[in-house]
Amino acid sequence: MTKLPNDDQLLAHYRRNLTDKQIAAMYGCTVQAVNLRLNRLGIERKPHSNTATALLEQAWPTAVYRRSRFTHFSRARRLWVFIRRNLGDPALSARQLHESLAFEHHIREHYVVLDLDLTQSNPWVFRPRLHLDEDLVIRWPEDRPKPSLRELEALRLPAAPWE
């Protein structure tokens, strides 16, 4: 296996918008090796995905709620892509964009919020919207501090096009 280039050269490839796969092919190494080196250099690879995950972690920390055990449920995935869309993630696929819009439509149409209830078989539960929910798409846990107003924007329903 060939060794990756020095940091400056690797960053030059990254800045030329080469993918990890393309860089790995150039040097005969694994994609994971390229990804690891770029991460060590402080390159934030998926800022929108990371921010969406961090917001969910603030609401329902994995250590307490075991949220990561339930991320495969469609409601959790749709919430995650909804947050990414609100953050302006250009990497959303057409399918993810569709899921995000379907999630938003359901929230508006049924006047509900999404909550995590570990007593249910599918712990992602839609609950009737309350005044305390404001315009968030989730019911923020009462025992958790809310994130900054800027971070909360990603969890808010965007203004409807007809408003």
Side-chain angles (χ1 to χ4, degrees):
M1 188 164 308
T2 308
K3 187 176 175 182
L4 282 169
N6 66 42
D7 292 348
D8 291 336
Q9 203 171 7
L10 184 61
L11 285 171
H13 292 316
Y14 171 76
R15 289 185 183 117
R16 287 192 358 239
N17 292 323
L18 293 178
T19 66
D20 292 359
K21 187 175 182 179
Q22 291 169 322
I23 297 169
M26 289 171 63
Y27 293 97
C29 64
T30 65
V31 173
Q32 293 85 350
V34 175
N35 187 279
L36 180 65
R37 276 281 298 286
L38 288 171
N39 285 340
R40 286 183 181 162
L41 291 171
I43 302 296
E44 189 171 340
R45 306 309 306 263
K46 298 178 180 179
H48 300 95
S49 296
N50 294 345
T51 301
T53 301
L55 275 170
L56 295 177
E57 184 67 19
Q58 286 181 54
W60 301 293
T62 297
V64 176
Y65 293 88
R66 300 170 295 151
R67 175 186 46 79
S68 60
R69 291 179 52 207
F70 310 112
T71 55
H72 65 282
F73 287 97
S74 64
R75 291 175 183 170
R77 286 194 321 268
R78 287 181 173 188
L79 169 61
W80 188 65
V81 296
F82 171 86
I83 295 169
R84 288 177 55 201
R85 191 188 87 198
N86 271 4
L87 292 168
D89 191 346
L92 288 178
S93 68
R95 180 175 175 229
Q96 289 172 321
L97 183 58
H98 174 76
E99 286 182 355
S100 169
L101 293 169
F103 177 82
E104 180 181 338
H105 177 76
H106 185 86
I107 294 284
R108 286 184 194 282
E109 183 79 14
H110 298 281
Y111 203 67
V112 293
V113 294
L114 191 61
D115 195 10
L116 184 62
D117 181 350
L118 299 177
T119 66
Q120 306 293 318
S121 58
N122 179 348
W124 297 99
V125 179
F126 285 112
R127 304 220 187 267
R129 181 175 291 282
L130 302 175
H131 179 70
L132 64 94
D133 296 320
E134 302 170 358
D135 59 349
L136 299 180
V137 296
I138 66 169
R139 170 125 335 124
W140 194 270
E142 291 179 21
D143 62 335
R144 302 291 308 153
K146 281 192 176 177
S148 71
L149 291 176
R150 185 174 173 275
E151 290 173 313
L152 278 177
E153 287 303 310
L155 293 168
R156 294 191 190 287
L157 275 173
W162 56 86
E163 292 177 348

